[in-house]
Each structure stands twice: as structure tokens, then as C-alpha cells.
Amino acid sequence: MKPLATILLDHGSGGRASQELIRNLFLPHLDNPVLACMEDSALVDTGAGRLAFTTDSYVVDPIFFPGGDIGRLAVNGTINDLAMRGARPICLSLALILEEGLPMEDLQRIILSVQAACRGADVPVVTGDTKVVPRGKGDKIFINTSGIGLVDGDVQISAMNARPGDAVILSGSMGDHGITILTQRAGLSLQGDLTSDTMALHRLVRKMLDEAPGAVHTLRDPTRGGVATSLNEIAEAARVSVELEEGDIPVKPEVGAACEILGMDPLYLANEGKLLALVDKDHAGRVLDIMRSLPEGADAAIIGRVTAGPAGRVVLKTIAGGARIAPSLTGEPLPRIC
Amino acid sequence: MKPLATILLDHGSGGRASQELIRNLFLPHLDNPVLACMEDSALVDTGAGRLAFTTDSYVVDPIFFPGGDIGRLAVNGTINDLAMRGARPICLSLALILEEGLPMEDLQRIILSVQAACRGADVPVVTGDTKVVPRGKGDKIFINTSGIGLVDGDVQISAMNARPGDAVILSGSMGDHGITILTQRAGLSLQGDLTSDTMALHRLVRKMLDEAPGAVHTLRDPTRGGVATSLNEIAEAARVSVELEEGDIPVKPEVGAACEILGMDPLYLANEGKLLALVDKDHAGRVLDIMRSLPEGADAAIIGRVTAGPAGRVVLKTIAGGARIAPSLTGEPLPRIC
């Protein structure tokens, strides 16, 4: 196949095309052992402890949506990437690319939202940058947040640590963020209150790690590409298979209804306040109880298990009794979801 | 005066309008002692040592220019922001916002340039992110790099530490980057080889701090807004005045000639491989010798001194024997300079 000559929207999907760009262009040239891990955060050893370091640019459209806005998303998303390595988030950076003509009122509203999210999470913005591009060379506002976290000496969370037998736990319902953005963008008004699930998960993770030490092997927040893509990445990194029980996967009725109307599969929709935990099966019940004791994990459920099947395979056992393979996302159903 | 209703290009100039946005909107809402320092990097105490943390988005237009490109700029610029707090840079993040349709060849060229800059500086990219926006919603490529550095226990570099009597040292000639971008953008072909000075300065800083411990009070790389704006910021932070000798300020003949033709003042042009050092006067000669011993500081010169005059004032003593105040940049002569 001839290599692609230009960047496609698909390269930003978080699915297969994104992964190919990373593997074929970024990793070969920027290679080093830390980057090669391809986790939500990098772990850097400073000699005086381990740091988690992560970065994400947010280009969501629309910038305001039910349940949040680009500012809140940018704070929570980066905190979550740190938490998925078991890190305690300590600070964030905030870099804005503004389009000339952005209403000052919109910027103020977004900064207030950043403030509220930082206060709520107790993680400060300590450094920032502002650039302005001429009208038509950007789109209202793009935000990059990077974050630093501290990783306790005994914490070892990695996609590579998933093992056959592990329970797959999802912290709550699927697809809320993705379907909210999709309906907003399409100008649809559907029955039921669709709202983004954007939420910081570091306290939930802290409680899981503190109260069930050693039980959690892998954490991942299923954002772009959804639960199916995240599990494919984990299954590949750990050289295992994953079996999901369709009937056990929490989906809100209004999200399910919207997905049916729009022909979307909730397994591939983005989430911004949910995590997947792969947990030692003997401690899965305990971890589930811990998760359900906090609002962030109130709807947590065991949705499947890790098996010793072919590396990188995710199988969905359907309610009807069949089974189908759920590969990584291909194509880009919804650009600028986050 | 009525507050502005929209974002102007001027808000991204790095000059007075940028500072007002920071003071009136960002600081009041995101306030914390670390952010309030408003230095090139934040210093964060982890309990096991001090970290420097910085972020910058690069939106330079054109993305390729004589002497570099947006990739090289993004690596060197963020390394320099760490170095300006006396930190040893340990790692970078790399977040790309790509416009649909960007030629893959351009992306490859930029990634190779990032690779070369990282290798040259011996600072790896350890984490990254890629987003794609539809055609017309961005402009080819925007890059955010954030960086982490370690700060030795005895290092205390800050704009607030400048003291009356300090020598003001500039590490080399002024305006090379700004005038290069300006002429490229205008499609001008002028006599002489104008090239960007983009360069990593962390080794220069290391040598200055190691070989003249305690002598350097303040470091700043005069990027957007140029030398005049950086010195205004320092003079304000340290509650001092600065006197510059116009005749001692190094400007390359071709840069000087281009500035005359274009009506630009080199004092306000961006630099991407130069630093200002405010140094104890008794050690200024020694620091100058150290700087000149490395290629990055070969053309270093003492260009003025700190005085006990009115806080925040920068005075330029002209070659003709007069004196004029050199305020912070107002207006935006050149959007998307970095």
C-alpha cells in the first residue's frame, strides 16, 4: 500500500490510524525507553523518586456543552492521564491558542471553569502560555494542559501488567461524553438529559490503590476510541485477550437510545470521567466495593475478564449469546471529540 | 476605558496586552504562589527536590524558515525556558495540532528536526499527543512542548533577584529570529544571510552557574517582545531600573540593515537562542569570559547595568548621547513569530 501523502482527520481519532502514525513516524524517530511505553503518562525517574508526566491538547467542538466545556475537560483529562499511572497529580500547565476575535466573555467563562475544576481537584495551574492566531487560522480556542504527578515507590500500574484471570472493571456508564458532543454538533435534541461525564478520577484511583494495595494491575481512561480501543491497546501491550459481557456493560438508557437513532456503538464512544481497571480476580469484589463507595465509581461494574487467548484480541459476548471480535476504532466517526 | 470585548492579535504579542490579559484574567482566577511568580518556568517543590516546569505553544508562520523550523523551535524554546530558572532539563512532552491535509512529508521533516534538536540537546521527548482539526480550522501545524527540569539546591535564579549595580549581559546579537521570520513572511529577499538563531542554551547556563556560583541573579530569554520587553518585566519584578548603552548592543550588520529598511527596532524583535543575564558586577568579567568560551555565547557583551532608579524603568542611552525610555512592546508588529 502506498503511504498516505497527507494528514487525514482519521489520524486524530485515537484509533488505528493514530496508532500507525505513532508507530511509523513518532516512535522510530523520537525513540527512547520511556516514550516507547505508550501509556497515558510517561514515568520519569529523577533519582529522587518517580514522576508521571503527560500532555494533551483539547480541540473539542463545541467549546461549551452540557456537563462542561473545553476548560473543564482540559483540567480533568490531564489529571486522569496522571491518575491512570497511579500518580498523585501535583500541578498542571495551561497553554492557550486563541483565535483573533474570540469573545472575551467566552474566554472568561472558560478560565472560571478551569479555576473551578482545579479547585475541585486540588491541583493548581502553575505555568502557562497564550498565543493568538489570526481569524480563520484556528477555531475559537485550543487548550493544551500538561501535568506532573508523583508515583509512590510501591505503585506499579501499566498496561503491560494485565494478566489472564484479571477482572475488567468499568467505573461507570459508557459513551456519555461522546454522544453528548455528537448530538450537540448535529443540533439534535433528543429525549433525556445527555450530559458529558467529564470528571477527575484521581481520588477514586487513590482509594483503590490505598485500600486494595497490589490488586490493580492496569488502569486506562477510555477517551478517544472508547472502551473497545483502550482494551485493544491493553490486550496488545500485555499479550493477552479480553472477553467482555455485553449484558454487563453499563449504558444509560438515554445514551443507548441516542446510539440506536444515530447508529453509533457505545463501545467506541469517548468517555471523559470513566476508567477501566484490570484487577486481580481474587480482589475484584473488594475493589468494586471501594469504587462504588465514591460518587465517581457509583455505577462501577465488572464487565469481563482477561484470558490467555491470542495477544491483542478483544471479544464481545453478546446478549443474544453470540460472540464477535471488537477491534480498535478505524475511521473517525467524530472529529474534535476532546 | 471599556474592557475589550474580543481577543486581539495583540494579546499574543508577549508585550503589554499579553501582560494585561495575564494580570486581569488569568492570575486573579488561577492564583497560587507558584503561578504568581510569572517566570519562564514554575518552580515546584516535590518534597524530594525542586522541579522547574514550563509550557509553550508554537504557532510560527512559516513553519520552515532559514535556520530552523517549528519543530526545532519548539524543542529549543522550551529547553531555554527551563534553563532560565537554572534548571537541568530532563524531559519534554510534544503535543501536535495538525490541520487536515498537512503534507505527510512536512510532518516527517518536522519530526526529524525535533529528533535532531532533542539529540543535540540530550533531552528526550517522553510523552506526546496528536490531534487533527478539519481543513481551515487550524494552520498546518501547531506544536506545544512542555518541559521538566531539576533545580539544584543552591540555585536561586529569578527576575526578582536583580539588584542595583548588576551588569546586564546579552549572550549574542539581537533580532536574528524576528527579522528572519518577518522577511520570509513578507517574501522579501534582502542582502546578507538572515537566519533564525534558534538554539538550546542549557549548556551555556550550566557552565555559567557551575563556574561562577552565586554570580548570576537573573536569566531571561528575550523571545516575543524582545530585549526591551524582557528587561521591563525584570525591572518591574525586582523594583529597579535598567540602563542600556545602545552602542554596546550587538546587532549583526544584515539584521541592522533589514531593520532600517523595514522600520523595525531590534530591541523589540524576538530572539530564540539568546539570553539576558543580570550578574553581580564584581563577577561580570568572569561570567563574560565563561560565556564567550562556548559557541552559544561567543558574541556575549555587557550592554548595561541595573540602577536604583524608578521601579520598572528601562532607559536606552543612545549612541548620539541622548537617552530615551524603552517601554514594553505595545501593539503586535509580527503575529506568529514563535
Side-chain angles (χ1 to χ4, degrees):
Chain A
M1 214 174 81
K2 197 163 163 282
L4 284 165
T6 62
I7 286 293
L8 309 176
L9 281 173
D10 204 5
H11 286 115
S13 66
R16 199 171 291 180
S18 305
Q19 287 162 20
E20 281 169 10
L21 191 64
I22 292 169
R23 280 185 216 284
N24 299 336
L25 180 56
F26 301 152
L27 285 187
H29 292 116
L30 305 178
D31 198 26
N32 58 71
V34 182
L35 182 66
C37 292
M38 289 186 62
E39 304 262 1
D40 284 340
S41 300
L43 289 197
V44 181
D45 199 328
T46 66
R50 286 181 302 162
L51 296 179
F53 184 31
T54 191
T55 190
D56 247 322
S57 294
Y58 297 84
V59 298
V60 66
D61 172 33
I63 57 175
F64 301 105
F65 46 81
D69 58 51
I70 191 170
R72 188 169 172 193
L73 204 63
V75 171
N76 290 341
T78 290
I79 286 174
N80 290 348
D81 280 342
L82 294 172
M84 295 309 122
R85 295 306 295 276
R88 301 173 191 268
I90 55 168
C91 60
L92 300 177
S93 63
L94 179 75
L96 310 176
I97 299 178
L98 309 177
E99 185 189 12
E100 181 189 14
L102 175 74
M104 196 60 85
E105 201 185 325
D106 287 356
L107 181 59
Q108 282 163 345
R109 202 173 143 194
I110 290 164
I111 294 298
L112 284 171
S113 175
V114 167
Q115 175 189 40
C118 285
R119 284 189 183 165
D122 199 20
V123 182
V125 167
V126 296
T127 189
D129 177 54
T130 307
K131 294 293 190 312
V132 181
V133 294
R135 232 176 260 269
K137 299 295 184 185
D139 193 14
K140 298 183 192 78
I141 179 170
F142 301 147
I143 301 183
N144 178 282
T145 45
S146 300
I148 301 178
L150 301 180
V151 187
D152 292 350
D154 55 342
V155 169
Q156 297 293 348
I157 306 290
S158 164
M160 285 182 288
N161 294 350
R163 296 178 214 154
D166 282 356
V168 178
I169 305 180
L170 186 58
S171 67
S173 64
M174 257 191 334
D176 300 38
H177 179 76
I179 206 75
T180 301
I181 297 297
L182 182 59
T183 52
Q184 286 291 309
R185 200 123 98 229
L188 295 177
S189 83
L190 298 169
Q191 278 195 313
D193 287 330
L194 296 174
T195 61
S196 168
D197 58 352
T198 175
M199 193 190 293
L201 299 172
H202 57 313
R203 293 195 185 96
L204 177 63
V205 169
R206 179 59 30 208
K207 200 171 165 75
M208 293 161 68
L209 301 186
D210 283 351
E211 298 187 6
V216 178
H217 298 155
T218 303
L219 293 167
R220 188 68 60 112
D221 58 334
T223 56
R224 283 184 294 175
V227 167
T229 303
S230 290
L231 285 174
N232 270 274
E233 288 172 12
I234 294 168
E236 207 163 296
R239 318 302 298 157
V240 296
S241 286
V242 173
E243 268 182 25
L244 297 180
E245 299 290 343
E246 188 179 23
D248 295 338
I249 299 173
V251 179
K252 287 183 181 156
E254 59 269 31
V255 172
C259 281
E260 272 194 27
I261 294 168
L262 298 164
M264 303 299 291
D265 183 343
L267 268 181
Y268 292 90
L269 286 177
N271 309 279
E272 293 290 342
K274 300 292 155 50
L275 63 81
L276 284 161
L278 278 59
V279 177
D280 186 290
K281 67 173 183 304
D282 296 335
H283 299 92
R286 168 91 187 106
V287 171
L288 196 62
D289 288 343
I290 295 166
M291 293 174 73
R292 286 178 174 165
S293 73
L294 286 183
E296 300 95 303
D299 300 323
I302 296 177
I303 63 166
R305 69 202 70 80
V306 178
T307 72
R313 176 181 288 180
V314 178
V315 177
L316 183 73
K317 298 172 76 179
T318 63
I319 296 169
R324 62 174 173 89
I325 289 183
S328 279
L329 179 69
T330 48
E332 172 51 300
L334 194 53
R336 302 181 63 187
I337 188 73
C338 63
Chain B
M1 214 173 82
K2 199 165 163 278
L4 285 165
T6 63
I7 286 292
L8 309 177
L9 281 173
D10 204 5
H11 286 115
S13 66
R16 199 170 290 179
S18 305
Q19 287 162 19
E20 280 168 10
L21 191 64
I22 294 169
R23 280 183 216 284
N24 298 336
L25 180 56
F26 301 152
L27 285 186
H29 293 116
L30 305 177
D31 198 27
N32 59 71
V34 182
L35 183 65
C37 292
M38 290 187 60
E39 304 262 2
D40 285 339
S41 301
L43 289 197
V44 182
D45 200 328
T46 65
R50 288 180 302 162
L51 296 179
F53 184 31
T54 191
T55 190
D56 247 321
S57 295
Y58 297 83
V59 299
V60 66
D61 171 35
I63 57 175
F64 301 105
F65 45 81
D69 58 50
I70 191 170
R72 187 167 172 198
L73 204 63
V75 171
N76 290 341
T78 291
I79 287 175
N80 290 348
D81 279 342
L82 294 172
M84 295 309 122
R85 295 307 294 277
R88 302 173 190 270
I90 55 169
C91 60
L92 300 177
S93 63
L94 179 75
L96 310 177
I97 300 178
L98 309 177
E99 185 190 12
E100 182 189 15
L102 175 74
M104 197 60 86
E105 201 185 326
D106 287 356
L107 181 59
Q108 281 163 345
R109 202 173 143 194
I110 290 164
I111 294 299
L112 284 171
S113 175
V114 166
Q115 176 189 40
C118 285
R119 286 189 180 164
D122 199 21
V123 182
V125 166
V126 297
T127 188
D129 177 54
T130 306
K131 295 292 189 312
V132 181
V133 294
R135 233 176 260 267
K137 299 295 185 187
D139 192 14
K140 299 183 191 78
I141 178 169
F142 301 146
I143 300 183
N144 178 282
T145 45
S146 300
I148 301 178
L150 302 180
V151 186
D152 293 350
D154 54 344
V155 169
Q156 297 293 347
I157 306 288
S158 164
M160 284 183 288
N161 294 350
R163 294 177 215 155
D166 283 357
V168 178
I169 305 180
L170 186 59
S171 68
S173 64
M174 255 190 336
D176 301 38
H177 179 76
I179 206 75
T180 302
I181 298 298
L182 183 58
T183 53
Q184 286 289 310
R185 201 122 100 230
L188 295 178
S189 86
L190 297 170
Q191 279 194 311
D193 287 331
L194 296 175
T195 61
S196 168
D197 58 352
T198 174
M199 193 189 296
L201 298 172
H202 58 314
R203 293 195 185 98
L204 176 63
V205 169
R206 181 56 32 208
K207 200 170 165 75
M208 293 162 68
L209 301 186
D210 284 351
E211 299 187 6
V216 178
H217 298 155
T218 303
L219 292 167
R220 188 68 61 111
D221 58 334
T223 56
R224 283 184 294 175
V227 167
T229 303
S230 290
L231 286 175
N232 270 274
E233 288 172 13
I234 294 168
E236 207 163 294
R239 316 306 294 159
V240 295
S241 286
V242 173
E243 268 182 24
L244 298 179
E245 300 289 342
E246 189 180 22
D248 295 338
I249 299 174
V251 180
K252 287 182 181 159
E254 59 269 32
V255 172
C259 281
E260 272 194 29
I261 293 169
L262 297 164
M264 303 298 290
D265 182 343
L267 269 180
Y268 291 91
L269 286 176
N271 309 278
E272 292 291 341
K274 299 293 155 49
L275 63 80
L276 283 162
L278 277 59
V279 177
D280 186 291
K281 67 172 183 303
D282 296 334
H283 299 92
R286 168 91 187 108
V287 171
L288 196 62
D289 288 343
I290 294 166
M291 293 174 74
R292 287 178 172 163
S293 74
L294 286 183
E296 299 95 303
D299 300 323
I302 297 177
I303 63 166
R305 71 203 66 81
V306 178
T307 71
R313 176 182 288 180
V314 178
V315 176
L316 183 72
K317 298 172 76 179
T318 63
I319 297 169
R324 64 175 173 87
I325 289 183
S328 279
L329 179 70
T330 49
E332 172 51 299
L334 193 53
R336 302 181 66 187
I337 189 72
C338 62

